[in-house]
Amino acid sequence: MSTPTDARDRLVAAAQEMFAAQGVGATSPRQVLAASGVGQGSLYHHFPTKHDLAAAAVGATVESALAAARRDLEGTTPALDRVVAYVERPRDALAGCKVGRLTSDQAVMDDAGLHDVVTAYFVRLLDAVAAALRESGLPDDAARDRAHAAVAIVQGGYVLARATGDPDAMRAAVRGFVSLLGDRPGPDHPEETA
């Protein structure tokens, strides 16, 4: 017998997977219910409306993605190494970014609450990347610009990989971005002496 929390978690997890695969607009609560394996009463107990279910699932997807980024970006290793770790983290390029894909889901973009959750994710992600870049010694405006470039490389890498059916398209975009950072001399990476 599953607990109420277990049933709620299973519903949210099923919704996250289905929304990533087919979008919020194209997914019905009945499909989520079938995928979750919980009883119909649990669905309507925890999520009286599809919007309630979407808000919980989109929120969980955003928090999970942000937590993964923060694991890369926060810490005591050199700041630029952390930014490189963020862009180089292994990703399923052909699956696409679960949050990024929400931006092309009209049901999400037309819903102010869901749209705000997605917007907040990107704002918080950009802030985390920019903070690491400022820590490396960049001034605020340059750090913000490079944070946008880093996030755009990851998001664009997903798009290129999906469009071409080639996961190496993302890896190539990331390699190109990292190479633009150069040898990264500075406080985090002092020039080596021979």
Side-chain angles (χ1 to χ4, degrees), residues 6-25 27-29 31-33 35-36 43 47 50 52-67 95-102 105 108 117:
D6 180 50
R8 184 185 191 287
D9 292 346
R10 288 170 55 192
L11 287 161
V12 169
Q16 287 179 273
E17 291 305 312
M18 296 199 77
F19 293 166
Q22 61 191 37
V24 174
T27 303
S28 72
Q31 291 171 310
V32 172
L33 180 64
S36 72
L43 173 64
F47 305 107
K50 178 179 177 178
D52 296 329
L53 177 61
V58 169
T61 297
V62 161
E63 288 307 316
S64 176
L66 195 56
C97 174
K98 288 182 179 180
V99 180
R101 291 181 72 180
L102 293 170
D105 186 329
V108 173
V117 171

Side-chain angles (χ1 to χ4, degrees), residues 1-124:
M1 186 86 175
S2 64
T3 65
T5 301
D6 180 50
R8 184 185 191 287
D9 292 346
R10 288 170 55 192
L11 287 161
V12 169
Q16 287 179 273
E17 291 305 312
M18 296 199 77
F19 293 166
Q22 61 191 37
V24 174
T27 303
S28 72
R30 190 165 298 285
Q31 291 171 310
V32 172
L33 180 64
S36 72
V38 303
Q40 185 171 349
S42 291
L43 173 64
Y44 296 107
H45 170 74
H46 293 292
F47 305 107
T49 67
K50 178 179 177 178
H51 182 270
D52 296 329
L53 177 61
V58 169
T61 297
V62 161
E63 288 307 316
S64 176
L66 195 56
R70 285 187 171 143
R71 283 191 296 275
D72 294 329
L73 294 164
E74 297 173 355
T76 59
T77 59
L80 284 178
D81 288 349
R82 296 192 314 262
V83 172
V84 169
Y86 162 71
V87 296
E88 287 184 339
R89 179 180 355 115
R91 294 172 168 88
D92 183 354
L94 296 179
C97 174
K98 288 182 179 180
V99 180
R101 291 181 72 180
L102 293 170
T103 66
S104 61
D105 186 329
Q106 203 59 50
V108 173
M109 294 293 98
D110 288 344
D111 182 295
L114 297 177
H115 186 210
D116 288 349
V117 171
V118 173
T119 299
Y121 164 76
F122 283 106
V123 168
R124 292 162 63 194

